[in-house]
Amino acid sequence: MEILAFGVQADEKPLLEKAFAGHHEVRCLDLFLTEDTAPIAAGHEAISTSVNADLNARVLRILAGGGTKLIAQRSTGFNNIDLGVAQRLGLTVARVSHYSPYSVAEFAWTLAMAVNRRIVRAAGRTRDFDFRLDGLMGRDLRGRTVGVLGTGRIGEAFTRIAHGFGMNLLGWDLHENPVCVGLGMKYVDKDRLLAESDVVSLHVPLTPATRHLLDAAALRSMKDDAILVNSSRGGLVDTEALVGELRAGRFTGVGLDVYEAEAGLFFLDKSLEVVEDDTLARLVTFPNVLVTSHQAYYTLEAVGQIVDTTLQNVLDYAAGRRSENVLVPTAVVQEGDD
């Protein structure tokens, strides 16, 4: 069976080809799955997609009409897939239920430290042989308070690092994580967490209930000199409201590895084009904002685990087996917490 893999990054391709060798043939495309590219999958029983694929009802119907029966998504999140339509069309949909939580947790702290210590500005200056320290003063993290919204695998790994810094730990989640409690985390309501935290980091899934978890009111409730980090899903933050707060001179720093309108932008080279997204264009002009392109997961260890799990999902499908990674056919469930 030949698997058609959409949205494959250059570093990812050799890992996919090596993993599938001796099992099934895999053909890697750098194109992302959209309504325009879906017809390419005709004749392929199994396809693999990236997190930025657009698997809406129309795309799913094109895939099913072309003979596709398995969609193996190479990510934990699946808010980009219309699972109800997939189930009605008889498609099997599988994801990667978990991979290295350290990849994202470490990157979240990389963003926090970079905006706290003005690393991007400092690097730009020294490249021009400007070695002044004006405007580069950061703050010690030890003794300050970090608020962790979502304490699943990634949130726990993020908390362990914060504990190593010697920070006070506040958490918010539906269920308390005993490991985080053992590290000294105090679980509080969201309002208190936002009001008291010097650093706020998001590690929850994107669901209808969490969309714009940080809306205008929530952002206003944060400290004026807080640091905000989002390495989870862009839709957790109301970006228009965030821009408004930044224009008012609030926040020491904001580190974003995700953006709610990133589809069609992230993972692509737009450097020679006019980007028509005015909100993103405004966002990247703020000197205290650092935006990266959904790369928090992008380590050799994490991508290797994602590839291996994707292969196992294909093998399970071919053998008629069911695993925890299968989303459809089954009752529609909420997205995982990492």
Side-chain angles (χ1 to χ4, degrees), residues 236-260:
L236 298 173
V237 178
D238 183 339
T239 315
E240 293 283 358
L242 177 60
V243 168
E245 296 302 303
L246 289 165
R247 290 182 65 183
R250 302 192 63 231
F251 303 139
T252 290
V254 175
L256 303 175
D257 186 51
V258 288
Y259 172 60
E260 60 181 325

Side-chain angles (χ1 to χ4, degrees), residues 141-176:
L141 292 178
R142 182 174 180 82
R144 295 190 180 273
T145 299
V146 61
V148 187
L149 292 162
T151 55
R153 296 182 187 91
I154 296 174
E156 177 188 317
F158 182 89
T159 300
R160 289 180 182 274
I161 297 171
H163 179 261
F165 279 132
M167 303 185 75
N168 303 314
L169 310 173
L170 295 181
W172 176 85
D173 207 325
L174 294 175
H175 306 286
E176 295 187 2

Side-chain angles (χ1 to χ4, degrees), residues 117-129:
R117 302 305 301 269
R118 313 292 197 272
I119 297 299
V120 175
R121 180 183 294 181
R125 282 186 184 179
T126 55
R127 186 168 293 175
D128 293 331
F129 298 100

Side-chain angles (χ1 to χ4, degrees), residues 85-101:
V85 171
Q87 186 150 354
R88 289 195 295 273
L89 291 171
L91 295 167
T92 296
V93 180
R95 62 158 175 168
V96 177
S97 58
H98 57 84
Y99 54 85
S100 168

Side-chain angles (χ1 to χ4, degrees), residues 36-109:
D36 292 331
T37 61
I40 301 173
H44 290 84
E45 182 178 352
I47 68 166
S48 179
T49 59
S50 65
V51 68
N52 268 8
D54 184 2
L55 288 151
N56 60 39
R58 293 188 299 276
V59 170
L60 292 172
R61 291 190 184 100
I62 293 171
L63 293 173
T68 296
K69 296 181 180 179
L70 169 68
I71 299 169
Q73 177 140 298
R74 302 187 308 280
S75 72
T76 298
F78 52 86
N79 54 284
N80 60 318
I81 308 173
D82 191 327
L83 294 181
V85 171
Q87 186 150 354
R88 289 195 295 273
L89 291 171
L91 295 167
T92 296
V93 180
R95 62 158 175 168
V96 177
S97 58
H98 57 84
Y99 54 85
S100 168
Y102 309 107
S103 60
V104 180
E106 291 171 5
F107 193 83
W109 273 115

Side-chain angles (χ1 to χ4, degrees), residues 115 120 242 246 252-256 283-291:
V115 296
V120 175
L242 177 60
L246 289 165
T252 290
V254 175
L256 303 175
L283 194 62
V284 298
T285 64
F286 291 104
N288 57 335
V289 174
L290 176 57
V291 178

Side-chain angles (χ1 to χ4, degrees), residues 136-217:
L136 300 182
M137 183 175 288
R139 299 180 296 176
D140 287 0
L141 292 178
R142 182 174 180 82
R144 295 190 180 273
T145 299
V146 61
V148 187
L149 292 162
T151 55
R153 296 182 187 91
I154 296 174
E156 177 188 317
F158 182 89
T159 300
R160 289 180 182 274
I161 297 171
H163 179 261
F165 279 132
M167 303 185 75
N168 303 314
L169 310 173
L170 295 181
W172 176 85
D173 207 325
L174 294 175
H175 306 286
E176 295 187 2
N177 183 327
V179 173
C180 294
V181 172
L183 293 171
M185 174 172 279
K186 182 174 183 178
Y187 279 84
V188 297
D189 60 50
K190 186 182 74 171
D191 291 343
R192 178 178 171 185
L193 182 148
L194 295 176
E196 297 183 6
S197 295
D198 299 294
V199 178
V200 173
S201 191
L202 294 162
H203 301 287
V204 298
L206 179 61
T207 67
T210 60
R211 181 170 294 278
H212 286 183
L213 181 69
L214 295 191
D215 56 13

